[in-house]
Every structure is written in C-alpha cells, then in structure tokens.
Amino acid sequence: MLTALGVVMIYLGAVTDLLDLSACALASFICVFALLEFGTGYAVAVGTATMLLSLMVLPVKAAALEYALMAAYMILKPRIERLDRIFAWCVKLVYINLSLVLGLLAAKYVFMLPDDGLWLNIAFVVLGNGAFVLFDIACTRLIILYVYRLRKRLNIEKYLKR
C-alpha cells in the first residue's frame, strides 16, 4: 500500500510537470513513515519498489530519479544526524551537492538537454543548496510533529501488525 501511494504521488507530480519536486518530497515521507514504524529494511524496500515502479510507469523518468535521491536521503537522515552537528551538516551538503551535480550531468549526457552555461549551473547549485537546507529543517520538524503528537492521536499501533 505504501509503495502504491508513493507511485501515485510521484505520478501526479510528474503529470503536472510543475509539482514534480514537491510530489517527490511528499512521497519520500512515506519512507520516513516506514522507517519509523517498521524499520530500515522495510523503508529501503518501499523506497526501492516505489522507484522501480515509477521508472516503469511514469512518462517522465526524471521524477523517479528525483524521488530515489530524496527517499535515500530520508532513510539516511537519522544516521547522519547521529554525528556531530557540524559534521552532519557537512555530510548533508556533500550529499546534496553530489546529487545536484549528478542531476546536471544526467540532464546533459543522458537526457541530452542543452547546456545552460556555467553561471546558470552555479546558480542552480546555490539555489539547490538553499532549498535543501529549508527542506531538511522542514523534514526534521515534520518528523518531530509526527513522533510526538500525531502518532499518539492517530493511534496507528492498533492498525499495524508487527
């Protein structure tokens, strides 16, 4: 069910072509839910299955790749945040910068999109870093909200068979 929900979210984002990153971010929270409620193995399975099904079903394959990077980050996020705070931010920024550079390379060499020039690529990376910092802070706050407030109110434990 979680995989199907993730594929539907990514599909809706890919079809609108304007909300693909937002839909991928929202779908990556399914991995967070799976991680918190079932553990790492289940979260990896849900993320992998969602990405593979999205690659098969979606008309825009880039959305599935965006989701893969976001879901992988959401699964790695708790492990990264166990590190020293400054070192953790360094690791997070290395992750996003590698993702952004791989995205630029994929756009140029895999999807054969025209090169926008050095300054636009630099602006893309700088804005991507800013957006990532905001995304990470929002993710942390939403996870805290879920764990300390919503989990008790939703009483999910009675529906989950472990």
Side-chain angles (χ1 to χ4, degrees), residues 4-98:
L5 181 62
V7 171
V8 168
M9 285 181 183
I10 298 167
Y11 182 80
L12 290 174
V15 168
T16 60
D17 198 36
L18 189 64
L19 301 173
D20 56 341
L21 283 175
S22 300
C24 290
L26 188 61
S28 70
F29 279 102
I30 294 172
C31 287
V32 172
F33 176 78
L35 181 68
L36 292 172
E37 299 299 337
F38 300 109
T40 305
Y42 197 84
V44 169
V46 168
T48 304
T50 303
M51 189 247 332
L52 291 174
L53 283 172
S54 296
L55 278 172
M56 287 188 262
V57 173
L58 295 180
V60 180
K61 307 301 183 203
L65 299 175
E66 293 165 0
Y67 168 78
L69 292 171
M70 286 185 187
Y73 175 73
M74 296 305 278
I75 293 169
L76 293 173
K77 182 175 171 55
R79 295 188 192 284
I80 294 171
E81 290 183 347
R82 290 183 192 142
L83 303 171
D84 178 61
R85 187 175 181 159
I86 293 173
F87 185 65
W89 272 105
C90 290
V91 171
K92 290 175 183 182
L93 290 173
V94 165
Y95 181 87
I96 190 59
N97 283 306
L98 284 174

